[in-house]
Each structure stands twice: as C-alpha cells, then as structure tokens.
Amino acid sequence: MAILLMGHPNVGKSAVFNRLTGANITESNYPGTTVDFTEGYTYIDGKEYKVIDVPGTFSTDPKDEAEKVALDILAEHDDPIVVVVIDSTKIERGLYLAFEIMERGYRTLIALNMWDDAEKHDLRIDVVRLEEILRVPVVPTVAISGKGISTLVEKVPAANRVDIEDLREKVTNL
Amino acid sequence: MNLDPEERWRLIDKVARETVEYGTERSTIRSVLAELTVKPLTGIPFALAVLYGFWGFFDAFAGFFTDGFFVPLFDDHWLPWIQEAFPLKGSWLYYILVGDPEAINSFEALGMLTSGFFVAIGVVLPAIVAFYLVITILEDSGYMPRLAVLVDTVLHKIGLHGFAIVPMILSLGCNVPGVASTRTLETKKQRFMMMILLSVFIPCGAQLGVMLSLIPEYFGYIMLYLVTGFFVFGWLLNKLIPGRSPEIITDVPPLRTPTLTNVGRKLWVKVKGFFTNAIPFVLLGVGLVNLLYLGGVISWIANSLEPLFTGWFGIPKETVAPLIAGFLRKDLAVAQLSAIDMSGFQLITSVVIISIYFPCIATFSMIIKEGRKSGGVIKVLSGSLLTLATVVFLWGGLLHLIGILLGVT
C-alpha cells in the first residue's frame, strides 16, 4: 500500500516524510527542494506502507519537469492514499489541489501543516467543521517539530474517497 | 467527476468562509525584516551584507582549520614520517603512493597518501563543512527565495529568472545537485542554458577551498573572470538558442529560525557523502595521474598539445596532468598546479582553464541523466560539447590575449 505526500512547493512534505519514515532527506525553507521522489517505509497498525515524498506541484496540470515527476508518480500507483499537505496560512489554494485529487477519486487525507504559523497569524481554522464538510480526515500538524504527526498516522487508514457530486451539493447549500 | 476551475474555486471559497476566521495580524520584527529583505532599496544592501558575511565566514572557518591545523599536521608530521617510513623508495609503488621523497609540502608531494589525503581531508573537508553550514542556514531561514526576487531583473537579461539563483548557489557547493535542481526551471531552453553555464563557469566548493588555500591572492581575479563569462555566454546562449524564457511567479516563504537538528542533519548528509563519494575519487585521481606519468602518457599528450597550451592559452604544457586529474576532481586538479613552475598570470589562466574545460565526471553524468528529460541526450550532449569547446577556446584564449595586452604573461 502506498502513501503519497502531495502538495504545493514548500509546504513541508519532506519534513512530514522524515517524520513518518525516520529518513533523512533534505528539508529547506524554499520551494523546489525536492525535484525527484524519495521512498521510505512506515508501519501503521502492523501494516507496512510505502511512503513517497512527491515533488511539489500546484495543480494536476504540470508546468515544469519536477511537477511532471509528481504526476507520473500519482498515475503509477494503484489506488494510493494521498496525503495532501497544505500550508495552513494558505489554506484556500491548498484545498484547490486537494479538490483536484479528490475529484480523481483517490483516498484522501489532509494535513494542515505549519499550524504554528497559522496561530501566529491569528488565523483560526475550524478543523472539525472542515472534516464534516469534506468527509476526509483533516489533521493540524507542525512537521518540523513533529506535532500532530502521530494523529496523522492514526488517521491514515481512515483516508476517504469523496463523492464530489455530494460535496458540491453540500457546499452549495452552506 | 471533474469540476471546472471556476466551480472549484467557488466551492473552496464557501468552504473557507465556513471554516476559517481571520484575526488581527500584528507586525513583528520578523515580518518587518521579511519585508525589508525583498524591497530593492533595503534588500540589495542586505544581500551584499549576507554575501560578504558568507564569504568572511567561509574564509575564516576554512582558513582556521586548513592553515591552523591541517597544514602543520600534514607538512610537519605526516609527510616527513611517511616519506621515511614507507619502504621501497625509488620504486613505482612509492612514487604512486607517496610521490616525491624530497617534497617539503603536502601540495607538491603528489602521492595518493600525501597530496591525496591532504587535499581531501585537510583542504576540501573544512571548505565543504563551512560552505554547507552557511548554505543550510540560508536555506532554512527562507532567505534564498528573497535573493531570487532581488536578482530577478539581472537574470532576465540572460533569459533566466530570479529562481535560477538557486541552482547557481547550490552549484557553488557541488555542481551535481546544481544540475539536478535545474528541473524547477520551466522550459527546455532555460534548463539547457543553466546546465551548461553552471557546469562551465561555477566552481564547486571543493575547488573554491583549494583555490583559497593555495592562491588566495588570485582568487578575486579568477572569480571575476568566471562570473563575467557566465553572463557573457548566458547572453549569447539566450540569443542563439530557440525557445521561451517565461516570467516566474513564486512564493516568498516567511523567515524562520533554522532548527539545530535540521541544520545538523543536512550537514551530516553532506559530510557523509563527501567521505563516501568524493574522497575515493580524489585518491583515484592522484593514482591515475601518477600511473599515466610513469607510463609516459602524460608527457606524450603534453608534447602533442604543446602548441595549443603554450601558443593559444599561454600556459606550460605540464598543466596537462592536472587537467587529466580534473576529469575526476577539480579540487585535485587545482592542487596539482602548485607543483608546476609558472608565472602568476599563467596560474590564473590555468585555474580558469581547469574550471571551464570540461565538467568533472560526476557533473557530466548528471547532465546526461537530466538531458534525457530536457530534449534528448544526443541533443543536449552535442549541444553542450559544442558550447563547451567554443567557450574553452574563446574564453581561455581571450584571457591569454588580455595577459599579452597588459604585459603580464
């Protein structure tokens, strides 16, 4: 079973990856640190998962070589679980990618990373409500310090496929 | 099913309104500093200060360990000891492993166990540590994209954009990750240009370390000539190569305090990589050149290339040996120049030629690997070899001409 970490450049996918797998790949504070994918393994409830740190991508419509790598990885795997890593301070555009992935019918899970930055900016996100609306697990994380990672791991098996038709109706009626 | 983008945004907008609440943001010292570093008026002096500080630290750190510790260790203890203790003086084995039995400094002994170890551990290791320590801090603090914003205008003049500064800076550590990171550039044209310019004009951290230790007085001239070459040929390539150079829109992340664990971890990865990937190549390079010497190959090549070397570039034909070592390691190549008798200007020219004549083998394989994704190996390879030959011939010859005009050859 494969877990793909996807998200915009510089949202902390590599940091989440290191936390999940105990690996040592390069984390930096600039977009484009990861240009190739890295694989690692993690065990959740005694089950082995392959974890892949996918290069950052803004959407499922590639604009450079690193984004092409990202989409090839997505296409290559048979029914992976996609963890969409989102910069909490830029939640809307993170959700855009999350929507694209959910629309393609992948089992999805959202990590609201850089949660501490959101707190610093006095940005309050109602995680419970977000979960209710999207029907996928949403977990606040601070990957560089490890906060929220254990919850993220617990929720991996609960990653969900979303009925977009339903979601559209529900959101429209909000 | 798929939504169209407009609908997607409409839904996200509603979701966000339902779940996100924006409070009041206070400006902090950090956010003010973050602003100041991207505004040209304050950002450019800040960038110059950062680069100067970077340089000062690199110089001081590498100098402290190399001159203060490793030079005495190798020259006063290791070298005389192994020259005496190693058996079979006068044999070919002694020549390959220890080198010159009369040498009094470790640069000039030219044996695997003398110069090889000294260059790798004594000179390059401190340089690598110093370089990556600063780079890691710059990376993790979020300063790199700020620099990218500042240099954007300048790099547009040669058909690149600000973000090309990232491969450039990474290449100053090692050209291999520099070439790999050209993948974040958008078009084949940009990637091709960047790969060539990097591998030709940007000396790696190991080479910088040796240059700094061996010829600090010429360092500035060499770098100036190489950087000028970067822009001159960048401008030319931009005119000659068909293709687009689009504008980039990028995020500038907030400034963050680098964490000690992440800095330490990255540094460790680099140092470990140096021990496993670089040191064997340095030793191999020394051994190979010594073998070729013994076999008479070097003097044969040197004699056949003499017209080109002395006539066109104005450097002694003996520099052929370092150039061969340079296929494996540029740092080693520069170190081996020290054993050749020549004028200061010839030394500058030789170092420039070593930098530009061909990428080291590791960088070259990376170009081939990346070329596959950027328009086909054959195209990239023939394009780069052609550019390379032109650059070496013109830029190397021009330096000789400058020397003649200044009357300093």
Side-chain angles (χ1 to χ4, degrees), chain A residues 67-131:
Chain A
E67 295 202 350
K68 262 182 225 144
V69 174
L71 293 164
D72 288 348
I73 296 168
L74 188 62
E76 259 163 35
H77 285 86
D78 183 33
D79 198 21
I81 292 174
V82 181
V83 176
V84 181
V85 184
I86 293 180
D87 174 349
S88 303
T89 62
K90 296 170 183 136
I91 185 165
E92 285 94 341
R93 49 156 129 148
L95 284 176
Y96 188 90
L97 180 66
F99 265 64
E100 284 191 310
I101 288 171
M102 294 188 297
E103 286 163 28
R104 289 174 168 222
Y106 290 104
R107 284 177 291 168
T108 311
L109 175 78
I110 292 175
L112 287 178
N113 198 31
M114 305 185 173
W115 187 256
D116 53 339
D117 276 356
E119 283 174 344
K120 259 182 236 155
H121 287 97
D122 200 18
L123 191 69
R124 289 177 290 260
I125 303 167
D126 188 342
V127 175
V128 178
R129 186 81 183 104
L130 197 57
E131 271 187 336

Coordinates of all heavy atoms in Angstrom, one line a residue, chain A residues 67-131:
Chain A
E67 N 7.2 19.0 -11.6 CA 5.7 18.7 -11.5 C 5.3 17.5 -12.3 O 4.4 16.7 -11.9 CB 4.9 19.9 -11.9 CG 5.1 21.1 -11.0 CD 4.0 22.1 -11.0 OE1 3.1 22.0 -11.9 OE2 4.0 23.0 -10.2
K68 N 6.0 17.3 -13.4 CA 5.7 16.1 -14.2 C 6.1 14.8 -13.5 O 5.3 13.9 -13.5 CB 6.5 16.1 -15.5 CG 5.7 16.7 -16.7 CD 6.5 16.6 -18.0 CE 6.3 17.9 -18.7 NZ 7.5 18.4 -19.4
V69 N 7.2 14.9 -12.8 CA 7.6 13.7 -11.9 C 6.4 13.5 -11.0 O 6.0 12.3 -10.8 CB 8.9 14.0 -11.2 CG1 9.2 12.9 -10.2 CG2 10.0 14.2 -12.1
A70 N 5.9 14.5 -10.3 CA 4.8 14.4 -9.3 C 3.6 13.6 -9.9 O 3.1 12.7 -9.3 CB 4.4 15.7 -8.8
L71 N 3.2 14.1 -11.1 CA 2.0 13.5 -11.7 C 2.2 12.1 -12.2 O 1.3 11.2 -12.1 CB 1.5 14.4 -12.8 CG 1.0 15.7 -12.1 CD1 0.8 16.8 -13.0 CD2 -0.3 15.4 -11.2
D72 N 3.5 11.8 -12.7 CA 3.8 10.4 -13.1 C 3.7 9.5 -11.9 O 3.1 8.4 -12.0 CB 5.2 10.3 -13.6 CG 5.3 11.0 -15.0 OD1 4.2 11.3 -15.6 OD2 6.4 11.2 -15.5
I73 N 4.1 10.0 -10.7 CA 4.1 9.1 -9.5 C 2.6 8.8 -9.2 O 2.2 7.7 -8.8 CB 4.8 9.8 -8.3 CG1 6.2 10.0 -8.6 CG2 4.6 9.0 -7.1 CD1 6.9 10.9 -7.7
L74 N 1.8 9.9 -9.3 CA 0.4 9.7 -8.9 C -0.3 8.7 -9.9 O -1.1 7.8 -9.4 CB -0.3 11.1 -9.1 CG -1.8 11.2 -8.6 CD1 -1.9 10.9 -7.1 CD2 -2.4 12.5 -8.9
A75 N 0.1 8.7 -11.2 CA -0.5 7.8 -12.1 C 0.0 6.4 -12.0 O -0.7 5.5 -12.3 CB -0.3 8.4 -13.5
E76 N 1.2 6.3 -11.6 CA 1.9 5.0 -11.5 C 1.3 4.1 -10.4 O 1.4 2.8 -10.5 CB 3.4 5.2 -11.1 CG 4.3 5.0 -12.3 CD 5.6 5.6 -11.9 OE1 6.1 5.5 -10.8 OE2 6.3 6.3 -12.8
H77 N 0.8 4.7 -9.3 CA 0.4 3.8 -8.2 C -1.0 3.4 -8.3 O -1.9 4.1 -8.7 CB 0.7 4.5 -6.9 CG 2.2 4.5 -6.6 ND1 3.0 5.5 -7.1 CD2 3.0 3.7 -5.9 CE1 4.3 5.3 -6.7 NE2 4.3 4.2 -6.0
D78 N -1.2 2.1 -7.8 CA -2.5 1.6 -7.9 C -3.2 1.9 -6.6 O -2.9 1.4 -5.5 CB -2.4 0.0 -8.0 CG -3.7 -0.6 -8.2 OD1 -4.6 0.0 -8.7 OD2 -3.9 -1.7 -7.7
D79 N -4.2 2.8 -6.7 CA -5.1 3.1 -5.6 C -4.3 3.6 -4.3 O -4.4 3.0 -3.3 CB -6.0 2.0 -5.2 CG -7.2 2.5 -4.4 OD1 -7.4 3.7 -4.4 OD2 -7.8 1.6 -3.7
P80 N -3.4 4.6 -4.5 CA -2.7 5.0 -3.3 C -3.5 5.8 -2.3 O -4.6 6.3 -2.7 CB -1.6 5.9 -3.9 CG -2.3 6.5 -5.1 CD -3.2 5.4 -5.6
I81 N -3.0 6.0 -1.1 CA -3.6 7.0 -0.2 C -2.9 8.3 -0.4 O -1.6 8.3 -0.4 CB -3.5 6.5 1.2 CG1 -4.4 5.3 1.5 CG2 -3.9 7.7 2.2 CD1 -4.2 4.7 2.8
V82 N -3.6 9.4 -0.7 CA -2.9 10.6 -0.9 C -3.0 11.5 0.3 O -4.1 11.9 0.7 CB -3.4 11.4 -2.2 CG1 -2.6 12.7 -2.4 CG2 -3.3 10.5 -3.4
V83 N -1.9 11.9 0.9 CA -1.9 12.9 2.0 C -1.6 14.2 1.4 O -0.6 14.5 0.9 CB -0.9 12.6 3.1 CG1 -0.9 13.7 4.1 CG2 -1.1 11.2 3.7
V84 N -2.7 15.1 1.3 CA -2.4 16.4 0.7 C -1.9 17.3 1.9 O -2.6 17.5 2.9 CB -3.7 17.0 0.2 CG1 -3.5 18.4 -0.4 CG2 -4.3 16.1 -0.9
V85 N -0.7 17.7 1.7 CA -0.1 18.6 2.7 C -0.3 20.0 2.3 O 0.0 20.5 1.2 CB 1.4 18.3 2.8 CG1 2.0 19.1 4.0 CG2 1.7 16.8 3.1
I86 N -0.9 20.8 3.3 CA -1.3 22.2 3.0 C -0.7 23.1 4.0 O -0.5 22.8 5.1 CB -2.9 22.3 3.1 CG1 -3.6 21.5 2.0 CG2 -3.3 23.7 3.1 CD1 -5.1 21.5 2.1
D87 N -0.2 24.2 3.4 CA 0.3 25.3 4.3 C -0.9 26.0 4.9 O -1.7 26.6 4.2 CB 1.1 26.3 3.4 CG 1.6 27.5 4.2 OD1 1.1 27.7 5.3 OD2 2.4 28.3 3.6
S88 N -1.1 25.8 6.2 CA -2.3 26.3 6.9 C -2.6 27.8 6.6 O -3.7 28.3 6.6 CB -2.3 26.1 8.4 OG -2.1 24.8 8.7
T89 N -1.5 28.6 6.4 CA -1.7 30.0 6.2 C -2.2 30.3 4.7 O -2.5 31.4 4.4 CB -0.4 30.8 6.4 OG1 0.6 30.4 5.5 CG2 0.1 30.6 7.8
K90 N -2.1 29.3 3.9 CA -2.6 29.4 2.5 C -3.6 28.3 2.2 O -3.4 27.6 1.2 CB -1.4 29.4 1.5 CG -0.4 30.5 1.8 CD 0.8 30.3 1.0 CE 1.8 31.5 1.3 NZ 3.2 30.9 1.5
I91 N -4.6 28.2 3.1 CA -5.4 27.0 3.0 C -6.2 26.9 1.7 O -6.4 25.9 1.2 CB -6.3 27.0 4.3 CG1 -7.1 25.7 4.3 CG2 -7.2 28.2 4.4 CD1 -7.8 25.4 5.6
E92 N -6.7 28.1 1.2 CA -7.6 28.0 0.0 C -6.9 27.3 -1.2 O -7.4 26.4 -1.8 CB -8.0 29.4 -0.4 CG -9.1 30.0 0.4 CD -8.5 30.9 1.5 OE1 -7.3 30.8 1.8 OE2 -9.3 31.7 2.1
R93 N -5.7 27.8 -1.5 CA -5.1 27.2 -2.6 C -4.6 25.7 -2.4 O -4.5 24.9 -3.3 CB -3.9 28.0 -3.2 CG -2.9 28.5 -2.2 CD -1.7 28.8 -3.0 NE -1.2 30.1 -2.7 CZ 0.1 30.3 -2.8 NH1 0.9 29.3 -3.1 NH2 0.6 31.5 -2.5
G94 N -4.3 25.4 -1.1 CA -4.1 24.0 -0.8 C -5.3 23.2 -1.1 O -5.2 22.1 -1.6
L95 N -6.4 23.7 -0.7 CA -7.7 23.0 -0.9 C -7.9 22.8 -2.4 O -8.6 21.8 -2.8 CB -8.9 23.7 -0.3 CG -9.0 23.6 1.2 CD1 -10.1 24.5 1.8 CD2 -9.2 22.2 1.7
Y96 N -7.4 23.7 -3.2 CA -7.6 23.6 -4.7 C -7.0 22.3 -5.2 O -7.6 21.5 -5.9 CB -7.0 24.8 -5.4 CG -7.3 24.8 -6.9 CD1 -8.5 25.5 -7.3 CD2 -6.5 24.2 -7.8 CE1 -8.8 25.5 -8.7 CE2 -6.8 24.2 -9.2 CZ -7.9 24.9 -9.6 OH -8.2 24.9 -10.9
L97 N -5.8 22.0 -4.7 CA -5.1 20.8 -5.1 C -5.8 19.6 -4.5 O -6.0 18.6 -5.1 CB -3.6 20.8 -4.7 CG -2.8 19.6 -5.0 CD1 -2.7 19.4 -6.5 CD2 -1.4 19.6 -4.4
A98 N -6.3 19.8 -3.2 CA -7.0 18.7 -2.6 C -8.2 18.3 -3.3 O -8.5 17.1 -3.5 CB -7.3 19.1 -1.1
F99 N -9.0 19.3 -3.8 CA -10.2 19.1 -4.6 C -9.8 18.3 -5.9 O -10.5 17.3 -6.2 CB -10.9 20.4 -5.0 CG -11.9 20.8 -4.0 CD1 -11.7 21.1 -2.7 CD2 -13.3 20.9 -4.4 CE1 -12.7 21.4 -1.8 CE2 -14.3 21.2 -3.6 CZ -14.0 21.5 -2.2
E100 N -8.8 18.8 -6.6 CA -8.4 18.1 -7.8 C -8.1 16.6 -7.5 O -8.5 15.7 -8.3 CB -7.2 18.7 -8.4 CG -7.4 20.0 -9.1 CD -6.2 20.5 -9.9 OE1 -5.1 20.5 -9.4 OE2 -6.4 20.8 -11.1
I101 N -7.5 16.3 -6.4 CA -7.1 14.9 -6.1 C -8.4 14.1 -5.7 O -8.5 13.0 -6.1 CB -6.0 14.9 -5.0 CG1 -4.7 15.4 -5.7 CG2 -5.9 13.5 -4.4 CD1 -3.6 15.6 -4.8
M102 N -9.2 14.8 -4.9 CA -10.5 14.1 -4.5 C -11.3 13.8 -5.8 O -12.0 12.8 -5.9 CB -11.2 14.9 -3.5 CG -10.5 15.1 -2.2 SD -11.4 15.9 -0.8 CE -11.7 17.5 -1.5
E103 N -11.3 14.8 -6.7 CA -12.2 14.6 -7.9 C -11.7 13.4 -8.7 O -12.5 12.7 -9.4 CB -12.1 15.8 -8.8 CG -12.9 17.0 -8.3 CD -12.4 18.3 -8.9 OE1 -12.0 18.3 -10.1 OE2 -12.6 19.4 -8.3
R104 N -10.4 13.1 -8.6 CA -9.9 12.0 -9.4 C -10.1 10.6 -8.7 O -9.7 9.6 -9.1 CB -8.4 12.1 -9.6 CG -8.0 13.2 -10.6 CD -6.5 13.4 -10.6 NE -6.1 14.2 -11.8 CZ -5.1 14.0 -12.6 NH1 -4.4 12.9 -12.4 NH2 -4.9 14.8 -13.6
G105 N -10.8 10.7 -7.5 CA -11.3 9.5 -6.8 C -10.2 8.9 -6.0 O -10.4 7.7 -5.6
Y106 N -9.2 9.6 -5.6 CA -8.2 9.0 -4.7 C -8.7 9.0 -3.2 O -9.4 10.0 -2.8 CB -6.9 9.7 -4.8 CG -6.2 9.5 -6.1 CD1 -6.2 10.5 -7.1 CD2 -5.5 8.3 -6.3 CE1 -5.6 10.3 -8.3 CE2 -4.9 8.1 -7.6 CZ -4.9 9.1 -8.5 OH -4.3 8.9 -9.7
R107 N -8.2 8.0 -2.4 CA -8.5 8.1 -1.0 C -7.6 9.3 -0.5 O -6.4 9.3 -0.7 CB -8.1 6.8 -0.3 CG -9.1 5.7 -0.6 CD -8.7 4.4 0.0 NE -7.6 3.9 -0.7 CZ -6.8 2.9 -0.2 NH1 -7.1 2.3 1.0 NH2 -5.8 2.4 -0.9
T108 N -8.2 10.2 0.2 CA -7.5 11.4 0.6 C -7.5 11.7 2.1 O -8.4 11.3 2.8 CB -8.2 12.6 -0.2 OG1 -8.3 12.3 -1.5 CG2 -7.4 13.9 0.0
L109 N -6.5 12.4 2.5 CA -6.3 12.8 3.9 C -5.6 14.1 3.8 O -4.8 14.4 3.0 CB -5.4 11.7 4.5 CG -4.9 11.8 5.9 CD1 -6.0 11.4 6.9 CD2 -3.8 10.8 6.1
I110 N -6.0 15.1 4.7 CA -5.4 16.4 4.6 C -4.6 16.7 5.9 O -5.1 16.5 7.0 CB -6.5 17.5 4.4 CG1 -7.1 17.3 3.0 CG2 -5.9 18.9 4.6 CD1 -8.3 18.2 2.8
A111 N -3.3 17.1 5.6 CA -2.5 17.6 6.8 C -2.4 19.1 6.7 O -1.9 19.6 5.7 CB -1.1 17.0 6.7
L112 N -3.0 19.8 7.7 CA -2.8 21.2 7.7 C -1.5 21.6 8.4 O -1.5 21.8 9.6 CB -4.0 21.9 8.5 CG -5.4 21.8 7.8 CD1 -6.4 22.5 8.7 CD2 -5.3 22.6 6.5
N113 N -0.5 21.6 7.6 CA 0.9 21.8 8.2 C 1.1 23.3 8.4 O 0.4 24.1 8.0 CB 1.9 21.2 7.2 CG 3.2 21.0 7.8 OD1 3.3 20.7 9.0 ND2 4.3 21.1 7.1
M114 N 2.2 23.5 9.1 CA 2.6 24.9 9.5 C 1.5 25.5 10.4 O 1.2 26.7 10.3 CB 2.9 25.8 8.3 CG 4.0 25.2 7.4 SD 4.4 26.3 6.1 CE 5.8 25.4 5.4
W115 N 0.9 24.7 11.2 CA -0.2 25.1 12.0 C 0.2 26.2 13.0 O -0.5 27.1 13.3 CB -0.8 23.9 12.8 CG -2.0 24.2 13.6 CD1 -2.1 24.3 15.0 CD2 -3.3 24.3 13.1 NE1 -3.3 24.6 15.3 CE2 -4.1 24.5 14.2 CE3 -3.9 24.2 11.8 CZ2 -5.5 24.7 14.1 CZ3 -5.3 24.4 11.7 CH2 -6.1 24.6 12.8
D116 N 1.5 26.1 13.4 CA 2.0 27.2 14.3 C 2.0 28.5 13.6 O 1.8 29.6 14.3 CB 3.4 26.8 14.8 CG 4.4 26.4 13.7 OD1 3.9 26.1 12.6 OD2 5.6 26.4 13.9
D117 N 2.4 28.5 12.3 CA 2.4 29.8 11.6 C 1.0 30.4 11.5 O 0.8 31.6 11.7 CB 2.8 29.6 10.1 CG 4.3 29.6 10.0 OD1 5.0 29.9 11.1 OD2 4.9 29.4 8.9
A118 N 0.0 29.5 11.3 CA -1.4 30.0 11.3 C -1.8 30.6 12.6 O -2.4 31.7 12.7 CB -2.3 28.8 11.0
E119 N -1.4 30.0 13.7 CA -1.6 30.5 15.0 C -1.0 31.9 15.2 O -1.6 32.8 15.7 CB -1.2 29.6 16.1 CG -2.1 28.4 16.3 CD -1.6 27.4 17.3 OE1 -0.4 27.4 17.6 OE2 -2.4 26.5 17.8
K120 N 0.3 32.0 14.7 CA 1.0 33.3 14.8 C 0.3 34.4 14.1 O 0.3 35.5 14.5 CB 2.4 33.1 14.3 CG 3.5 33.0 15.3 CD 4.8 32.9 14.7 CE 5.5 31.6 15.1 NZ 6.5 31.1 14.2
H121 N -0.3 34.0 12.9 CA -1.1 35.0 12.1 C -2.5 35.2 12.7 O -3.3 35.8 12.0 CB -1.1 34.6 10.7 CG 0.2 34.7 10.0 ND1 1.1 33.7 9.8 CD2 0.8 35.8 9.4 CE1 2.1 34.1 9.2 NE2 2.0 35.4 8.9
D122 N -2.8 34.6 13.8 CA -4.1 34.7 14.4 C -5.2 34.2 13.4 O -6.2 34.8 13.2 CB -4.4 36.1 14.8 CG -5.5 36.1 15.8 OD1 -5.8 35.0 16.4 OD2 -6.1 37.2 16.1
L123 N -4.9 33.1 12.7 CA -5.8 32.5 11.7 C -6.4 31.3 12.4 O -5.7 30.4 12.8 CB -4.9 32.1 10.5 CG -5.6 31.7 9.2 CD1 -6.2 32.9 8.6 CD2 -4.6 31.1 8.3
R124 N -7.7 31.3 12.5 CA -8.4 30.2 13.2 C -9.1 29.3 12.2 O -10.0 29.8 11.5 CB -9.3 30.7 14.3 CG -8.5 31.3 15.5 CD -9.5 31.9 16.5 NE -10.1 33.1 16.0 CZ -9.7 34.4 16.3 NH1 -8.7 34.5 17.1 NH2 -10.4 35.4 15.8
I125 N -8.7 28.0 12.2 CA -9.4 27.1 11.2 C -10.2 26.1 12.0 O -9.6 25.5 13.0 CB -8.3 26.4 10.4 CG1 -7.5 27.4 9.6 CG2 -9.0 25.4 9.4 CD1 -6.3 26.9 9.0
D126 N -11.4 26.0 11.7 CA -12.3 25.0 12.4 C -12.1 23.6 11.7 O -12.8 23.3 10.8 CB -13.7 25.5 12.3 CG -14.7 24.7 13.1 OD1 -14.3 23.6 13.5 OD2 -15.8 25.1 13.4
V127 N -11.2 22.9 12.3 CA -10.9 21.6 11.8 C -12.0 20.6 11.7 O -12.3 19.9 10.8 CB -9.7 21.0 12.5 CG1 -9.3 19.6 12.0 CG2 -8.4 21.9 12.4
V128 N -12.8 20.6 12.8 CA -13.9 19.7 12.9 C -14.9 19.9 11.8 O -15.4 19.0 11.2 CB -14.6 19.8 14.3 CG1 -15.8 18.8 14.4 CG2 -13.5 19.5 15.4
R129 N -15.2 21.2 11.7 CA -16.2 21.6 10.6 C -15.7 21.3 9.2 O -16.4 20.8 8.4 CB -16.4 23.1 10.7 CG -17.5 23.7 9.9 CD -18.9 23.5 10.5 NE -19.9 23.9 9.6 CZ -20.7 23.1 8.8 NH1 -20.6 21.8 8.9 NH2 -21.6 23.6 8.0
L130 N -14.4 21.5 9.0 CA -13.8 21.2 7.7 C -13.9 19.7 7.4 O -14.2 19.3 6.3 CB -12.3 21.6 7.8 CG -11.6 21.7 6.4 CD1 -12.3 22.7 5.5 CD2 -10.2 22.2 6.6
E131 N -13.7 18.8 8.5 CA -13.8 17.4 8.3 C -15.3 17.0 8.0 O -15.5 16.2 7.1 CB -13.4 16.7 9.6 CG -11.9 16.3 9.6 CD -11.6 15.5 10.8 OE1 -12.3 15.5 11.8 OE2 -10.5 14.8 10.8

